Amino acid sequence: MNSAANILVVEDEEVIRRFVKATLEDDGHRVHEAENMTRGLIEAGTRKPDLIVLDLGLPDGDGVGFLADLRSWSSVPVIVLSARVSELDKISALDAGADDYLTKPFGSGELQARVRAQLRRRGNSAAGESEKVTLGEVVVDLGLRRVSRSGELVHLTQLEYRLLVALIAQRGKVLTHRQLLKEVWGANYVEQNHYLRIYMGHLRQKLEQDPARPHYLLTETGIGYRLSAEAENQ
Amino acid sequence: MLVSEHRPDPDALLASLPRPRGRLKLFFGAAPGVGKTYAMLAEAQEKRAQGLSVLVGWVDTHGRADTEAMLSGLDVLPRRQLDHRSKVLAALDIDAILARHPALVVIDELPHSNAVGSRHPKRWQDVEELLASGIDVYSAMNVQHLDSLRDIVGRVTGVEISETVPDHVFDQADEVRLVDLPPDDLLHRLAAGKVYLPEVAERAAANFFRKGNLIALRELALRRMADRVDGQMKAQRAISHSVPVWATSHSMLLLVDGRHGSDCVRQCLRLARLLGAPWHAVWLDNGGASADERSAALAALQQAAEQGATTLVLSGQQPARLVVAYARRHNLSLLAMPAPLASAQLQRALQQDAPDLSLLLLSSQSSEKQPKRWPQWQLARRGWLASSLLCAAITLLASPLHGVLEPTNLVMFYLLGVLWSAVRYGRGPAALTAVLSVALFDFFFVQPHFSFAVSDVQYLITFVVMLIVGLVAGQLVASQRHSAAQARQREAHTRTLYEMARELGVALLPEQVGEISTRFLHASLGGSVRLWLPPDDDGALLPQEGADLGEDSAIVRWCYDRAEPAGVGTNTLPNAPYLYLPLKAPMRTRGVLVLAVPDRALLAEPDNRRLCEAVTALVAQTLERLHYIAVAQQTLVIMESERLRHSLLAALSHDLRTPLTALTGQAETLQRQLARDASPLAAQAATLQAQSQRISRLVTNLLEMARLQAGGVTLRRDWLPPLELIGGTIAALGSATASHRLQIDVPQDCPMLYADPLLLERLLVNLLENALKYSPAGSTITLSADATSSHIRLSVTDEGRGLPPGDPAELFTIFTRGERESSISGVGLGLAICKTIAHVHGGTISAANLPAGGACFSLLLPLETQPELDFDPEKL
């Protein structure tokens, strides 16, 4: 369990703010509150939080604007809360730099789990890049560019490997289809979702114990993929 | 209603595409009696044996027994009986063939002319229509019936052929089978009475069936067939090398005139076909043509147009310059004209203006009668009279001045008269004035007086000059006047089009379009117009407001369906009293314009036809513009209502989810706290949490249903591997699936779905939730996917009690549940949502009980063409 963190909650609805605060304080974190975007940005600048929980529908602007501003000077993890019908808001928030999302209504356990995952992620990256990452019985050696499963070498194609590396680099963070396609295939392929789907299928076949119920290579339906934060540095 | 239903249905789009054209097979022979009909029926029998629906539309066996035997077992269409002037004529029943729509129809004697009152004047046109509607046709013809060979055959055999088939029908036939019989064998057959009945045979043998004739015809047929094969080979080579053998620069230009029209057209057609070149035909109208010549020339142009030429009437006085300008504009390099038309002067002028233009003189052994030269005699009668009176008046006026003025100056008065008469009445009267003037001047004023004798030879110069002035001035004026009239007419047409385009540009209703076109066509052609428009995309055509012309709605429909003109001056129902023009716009035919003109001859003028075509094009484009304005407005309304609905749902969703989030969240926290403190209230807190979660699920479902039902579902389709979809579904339900054993059954090579991932996941989540709810804990639930050639099936199978009795389809209606009073929660919205989602994806969902017990819910989605990956990953 991580030590107590500074967390900023930007949410205009008081009931939700209180609930989120109570849930996070229950986990031992220090929570600061802001009820609109302007206040939120000031708090984010002065309090130097370790994590921000951000509601997408704010009275003085939407969360995407907040993220655009924030990301110009901070890389603090952001979890967005959304009550919108469409997934497009979440995708644009993720593309703007959010790390994870929760759809209302969500449970307190779910919130705690996400916050923990993001804090751990930050801890991992703070510890510096490791040469080796384990996904259960799979070991990815980033230095040697080698992947093995239960000690046996797994043959990955170049693109499969690049996709895996892209996911490892941002493990725990939800990566949209667009972000992954741009990273692995290049800007010309950002609309070609089927590439991603097919290669993700290949990766799961090669690395997951049960490709139908992946444990590490997780699907965020309609949005993108995420490598589970359980992937450990070795 | 769902918005997706407004989108074009691909099947409907496919159905609206024109059906593939039928194939034409021609049985081609050198002479009657070689066995074409027999061969044709034999092949038809084979096709019938292969199981094709074969119909005999028309066959004349001429009493030949073996041919009649071939007919046995074939379905023969009864002939249509047409009453014509108290005679009953048999005709091909084309409507019956279209109605029965067989795979193959046999129609003998392609060159046959149809009885008056038929839809088309010629049988080959009937055949064209059948082919266009997708029916294969077998037909037969002889070489002498080919239009381009008509003259040659006529000259060789001395028999006048009246029924012909245009060469393009023969050339464009998909297959031609030559039915060949050596002349001796044919004569044997004739003698044996196998071709005609004996008495006819005797006559035939004496005339047409002479051996020399038969050899010549056979040679013609074989050569024509060889040409065709040669052409096919050339075409094949052109395709395979993708280099055009003949560039457009080899196109031909034919100059026709009223006296050598159709003969030259045929010659030119033969040449153009030999060269494989496109060709143009023009008539130079210098105003000097008589009415007969004019109509002959126009008929020749019409004939050329039917044979595929581009035609135009050029008017002006300098043939060489006009022709060269036209040839340059259309990139034509070969100029053909009847030899008599190519005067030395014209040839010189052409040589000078365009040395690169090859000149081809066509022989003209035209049997057409030389028309009378002075047909306008009658019209000019007043001019003749006035000219004579004028000469008399000048003589009277001049006589007192005789002696005062020099005779040379007296001549000037006469010259003035000649000029006036030329300007006023044209060439003929001017010439008369010149002759009369010379005669009168000579008689009264030249020594010796009162005699035609001329003592001074120098007066001959006066006579000649006067005559020349008269003729030249007359010619000039006449042609000027003609050109002016032509220019005026063209200017009027252009102005009409221009003004009409301007008015149509601001028209907002189809009624206005009708009114505008009526007004303008009435002004320029004196005709009346009525538009027939389809009320919506499909349906009967309805006439617009306007005078009822008594037009035939069946012809209107025909014209609309085929997008081809009908009526006066066309190949379809040329005897109908009106011209029916389809309003062809870029996207589709928008209706039919019916035009009635007081004088049918008006429509034979290419200028007027062009005007009509331009008007129809303008009207069609305007109608299309109106259509798209309507579509755009409708789209705007839909978008606006979608936006409104979306913001309403978003607000509702926000207002419901915010308190629910607080409620479920706080209940969870409370329950955890109480459980940690081991409070007796922990159980109540757990109930509170469970119930609030249930409400939130319900709200989610309700909002989802509201969104789907309100329409405006924009599918965000994406490629989706079934395995990932199933994995996502299980992940979405999380720990709820732990109570059952889940089996996943997806073949390795299962194709991807093209669907909205979120909606499809919701569908599967609902089905899986259902299965979890209605089957005992610990049992197996199978999630599987498999594909056929056209569909992908996703199914969820459980080992529960199965479906309740009754129609399984009932389950998918809103608020239906398997058991009305059940302890199992859920409002029965789940399956209704599933059905709606399946529907918006163009799929179906069904439920059935398995024989082994348990229920199976399957979703059937259409299989889309799989996307391609444009590189091989292994190579990288």
Side-chain angles (χ1 to χ4, degrees), chain A residues 197-217:
Chain A
R197 306 256 190 215
I198 290 169
Y199 279 85
M200 189 56 80
H202 293 169
L203 272 185
R204 284 184 180 147
Q205 293 288 348
K206 291 179 180 176
L207 306 182
E208 289 282 357
Q209 219 151 31
D210 181 357
R213 306 174 73 170
H215 193 69
Y216 293 98
L217 301 163

Side-chain angles (χ1 to χ4, degrees), chain B residues 732-753:
Chain B
L733 281 172
S735 58
T737 59
S739 56
H740 289 69
R741 224 170 61 77
L742 295 186
Q743 189 184 329
I744 294 151
D745 192 359
V746 179
Q748 190 82 52
D749 57 346
C750 190
M752 290 192 282
L753 298 154

